[in-house]
Amino acid sequence: MAIIAELLGVGLSYGSGADRVRILENCDLHLERGEFVAILGPSGAGKSTLLRVLMDLVKPSAGDVRVEIPEHRGRRRMALVFQDAKLLPWRKVSANAAFGLEGLGLSRREISTRVEAALDLVGLSAQIDRWPHQLSGGQRQRVGLARALAVEPELLLMDEPFGALDAITRADLQDELLTLWSRTQKTILFVTHDIDEAIYLADRVVVLAGSPARVQGCFATPPRPHLRSDPRTWRLVSEIRAKLQEDGELVDFEI
Amino acid sequence: MTLAAPTRSASRVWRGISSFGGAATPHLLAALGLILFFTGWEIAARLNPSLSALIPMPSQIPRAWLDEISGGYWLAAVRNSLSHYLIGVAIGSILGVAFGLVCGVLPWFESLLAGLVRLLRPIPGLAWVPFAILWFGLSSTAAAFVIAIAVFWINFYAAFGAVQAIDRDLMEVARAFGHGGFFGRLFKIALPAATPGILAGVRTGLGQAWMSVVAAELFGVPGIGARMMQAASLLATDLVVVYMLTMALLYAITDILFVAVRRRLTAWQS
Ligand SMILES: Nc1ncnc2c1ncn2[C@@H]1O[C@H](COP(=O)(O)OP(=O)(O)OP(=O)(O)O)[C@@H](O)[C@H]1O
Ligand SMILES: [Mg+2]
């Protein structure tokens, strides 16, 4: 299979001099086209930072980042769903979803078609004319997802997108995401601190922990479909827990 | 105990007043305050005829106002001052907001200007009057220039501060979606995100600018200020008051228009 993105020995520190904090050290990660990979790690480990590096929002202090997606008008077809949605409060839902389509030379009609399709996909067609402050937290998160989907990314990075949702909505959205993924064959890198979620969604679970954070291990999940009650996943859960605890890092993981 | 009794009865009276008329009560009280003020003034002026050279009686004002209007002076003065005001406010606000935004978006540009800003900012707009007259004569340009300088600083700091206060993560969102360049950050993030702060600055500038209008015109540029000086030198105090009220009226109109515009521009705020 073809590699779509790769981190090679990536290290990153914030600050300088005495305030310098090392966040990531010697991180290797490769993503193959069409794969669904989850990154699992405790809060503050550096998961969001890792996505920032992939997205070229911060430059690593060591190592290499390779993304095999051609540039078009200075942009790559990859998108990030931010941890707290990070919508632009002065734009209505539709304009928020259109954000990544502006400046590409698309016609107004084309943009609104794609925006409507993306909002339809996340089930927010009825809220198209609302302001972000008129939405619930879960709806905002879905607009963030629609904004990313609208650019039709080959690689979709998602930063704890369902972290703030209730269990029912979360389960629904997980299933919708899986449907979307199997239909479009996008590559998805999904950050979470929920072991169950990681196993349920992903082909592979990459554990990121420690300080500075390293890739502690990589676990393949059983063949799909993943059932929430599959006994094989229980074993995997305890293996991953053990890996996290090895590091003395695990504080309160949701099971 | 002795203290509590009158307080309680006072609050009962207050509740009586405020329940009477419901939401309209504050407006009624405001009108009452105005009436009391002008009545008191009228009585005081009538009781002290010796003061008549120094203070007009409110009852003289409407007559003076009408005469001034029918003589054509009022409209000419208002038209002159308004043109100074609008040109000065427009130039000062646009430049102030533009520099404030660019300084907020480009740290190197802000550093480049930091020394100059330190140097120029403490100089009040009115200190530029000598140069204004030297460069532009006693002209509308001179008045607009002085007004623009005063308004510039207010808007510069309001816009710069508003950009500084923007959630840094939104700049990351801009970069992630292909708008990380200077214009993307400026027009897609900084300008809309800073709009409430910018508008607060514009509003302050709209008020402060009237001060500069009068000050600039006191030096002789035709307009409300100049007309007030003429009136004062003829001891026509009623005319001075007419123009004071005129300014209050013009300010009220600009402020009402401003609030209507702001409501449209910041509809997205909760
Ligand atoms: N701009 C920054 N400057 C300095 N330190 C930072 C900065 N951004 C993040 N950090 C630090 O880097 C570490 C990793 O942050 P990061 O946001 O990547 O964690 P995370 O794994 O995403 O955590 P969470 O699950 O809580 O979102 C944290 O300790 C954080 O305090
Ligand atoms: Mg994070």
Side-chain angles (χ1 to χ4, degrees):
Chain A
M1 263 215 187
I3 283 188
I4 189 166
E6 204 169 20
L7 298 181
L8 295 166
V10 162
L12 184 137
S13 10
Y14 282 122
S16 56
D19 295 331
R20 194 174 148 94
V21 198
R22 289 191 302 160
I23 307 292
L24 301 175
E25 191 171 78
N26 204 18
C27 287
D28 291 320
L29 178 74
H30 67 273
L31 296 171
E32 279 166 18
R33 257 176 214 284
E35 235 187 342
F36 197 136
V37 175
I39 294 189
L40 184 70
S43 181
K47 306 182 295 297
S48 298
T49 305
L50 196 82
L51 294 191
R52 279 204 196 97
V53 170
L54 264 170
M55 219 37 215
D56 196 22
L57 298 176
V58 281
K59 292 263 174 273
S61 18
D64 272 325
V65 184
R66 291 226 305 269
V67 177
E68 304 290 337
I69 303 173
E71 275 198 20
H72 170 65
R73 284 184 181 247
R75 300 189 206 171
R76 292 200 160 97
R77 292 250 295 247
M78 60 193 288
L80 173 58
V81 181
F82 283 79
Q83 191 161 357
D84 307 307
K86 296 290 176 200
L87 302 184
L88 308 180
W90 56 87
R91 285 172 172 246
K92 290 192 171 171
V93 165
S94 49
N96 260 294
F99 191 56
L101 298 178
E102 293 167 3
L104 288 174
L106 299 175
S107 74
R108 215 168 259 239
R109 167 99 56 82
E110 237 169 316
I111 290 181
S112 76
T113 312
R114 278 168 70 171
V115 162
E116 276 162 32
L119 286 171
D120 197 36
L121 217 53
V122 299
L124 278 183
S125 302
Q127 277 77 21
I128 199 156
D129 262 333
R130 297 241 188 124
W131 297 109
H133 75 83
Q134 296 171 318
L135 301 177
S136 73
Q139 289 172 330
R140 267 194 285 259
Q141 200 59 53
R142 282 189 275 168
V143 178
L145 179 55
R147 175 172 70 183
L149 291 175
V151 307
E152 293 174 357
E154 292 173 34
L155 174 59
L156 181 60
L157 310 177
M158 305 180 78
D159 197 352
E160 299 189 36
F162 308 145
L165 304 182
D166 66 278
I168 301 166
T169 315
R170 173 193 278 223
D172 283 351
L173 285 178
Q174 286 169 348
D175 288 333
E176 280 170 33
L177 183 63
L178 282 179
T179 314
L180 180 89
W181 171 72
S182 60
R183 210 172 55 210
T184 59
Q185 289 304 309
K186 291 180 194 309
T187 314
I188 297 182
L189 182 62
F190 188 101
V191 162
T192 176
H193 56 241
D194 180 337
I195 303 182
D196 267 358
E197 183 173 61
I199 296 174
Y200 182 66
L201 290 174
D203 301 315
R204 279 194 296 140
V205 179
V206 174
V207 175
L208 188 78
S211 121
R214 298 158 170 277
V215 173
Q216 305 287 346
C218 188
F219 300 82
T221 56
R224 292 178 194 273
H226 296 162
L227 301 174
R228 289 186 199 270
S229 54
D230 189 339
R232 284 176 304 180
T233 66
W234 299 347
R235 198 163 344 106
L236 193 53
V237 167
S238 47
E239 265 178 64
I240 293 176
R241 277 178 77 84
K243 180 55 97 183
L244 279 156
Q245 261 154 350
E246 228 173 64
D247 207 51
E249 276 282 328
L250 184 68
V251 193
D252 47 358
F253 262 78
E254 302 161 29
I255 292 294
Chain B
M1 282 319 243
T2 45
L3 275 177
T7 314
R8 206 182 302 140
S9 67
S11 80
R12 199 176 306 136
V13 170
W14 170 248
R15 232 177 290 131
I17 292 176
S18 47
S19 63
F20 171 77
T25 312
H27 298 296
L28 286 177
L29 284 175
L32 181 67
L34 276 175
I35 291 169
L36 286 177
F37 174 73
F38 282 108
T39 317
W41 175 1
E42 181 80 23
I43 292 171
R46 279 178 193 272
L47 290 180
N48 301 287
S50 58
L51 288 181
S52 67
L54 299 179
I55 301 180
M57 282 185 281
S59 54
Q60 297 172 324
I61 307 294
R63 168 100 241 158
W65 203 323
L66 287 175
D67 286 349
E68 187 72 359
I69 291 175
S70 58
Y73 303 111
W74 187 79
L75 203 61
V78 167
R79 201 186 291 133
N80 278 327
S81 285
L82 261 183
S83 81
H84 305 158
Y85 176 83
L86 293 176
I87 294 171
V89 164
I91 292 176
S93 303
I94 291 171
L95 288 181
V97 168
F99 272 89
L101 283 177
V102 174
C103 279
V105 173
L106 294 181
W108 66 262
F109 190 68
E110 198 257 322
S111 307
L112 185 71
L113 292 191
L116 196 61
V117 166
R118 283 254 166 104
L119 188 73
L120 292 179
R121 188 243 176 142
I123 303 172
L126 295 185
W128 289 92
V129 165
F131 273 123
I133 292 176
L134 211 60
W135 294 339
F136 308 113
L138 284 177
S139 65
S140 296
T141 317
F145 173 76
V146 170
I147 296 162
I149 287 185
V151 170
F152 174 86
W153 289 115
I154 296 169
N155 282 283
F156 174 80
Y157 277 99
F160 179 62
V163 177
Q164 295 284 299
I166 296 173
D167 180 0
R168 291 287 106 184
D169 292 353
L170 295 186
M171 292 294 180
E172 247 182 22
V173 172
R175 289 189 61 186
F177 286 94
H179 303 298
F182 170 69
F183 289 106
R185 281 180 293 150
L186 183 63
F187 289 114
K188 302 232 183 240
I189 304 291
L191 181 59
T195 297
I198 290 172
L199 290 178
V202 169
R203 191 181 198 178
T204 312
L206 284 172
Q208 294 283 311
W210 278 113
M211 203 163 82
S212 306
V213 167
V214 177
E217 292 171 358
L218 287 181
F219 291 92
V221 181
I224 291 177
R227 189 76 185 137
M228 281 170 93
M229 272 316 259
Q230 285 171 8
S233 64
L234 300 172
L235 294 184
T237 50
D238 47 357
L239 261 190
V240 176
V241 173
V242 163
Y243 281 108
M244 291 171 118
L245 294 177
T246 301
M247 269 185 297
L249 187 72
L250 291 176
Y251 175 71
I253 293 171
T254 42
D255 203 52
I256 287 168
L257 291 177
F258 173 86
V259 170
V261 171
R262 185 182 59 177
R263 189 169 306 138
R264 292 213 48 189
L265 290 178
T266 56
W268 52 272
Q269 285 191 307
S270 38

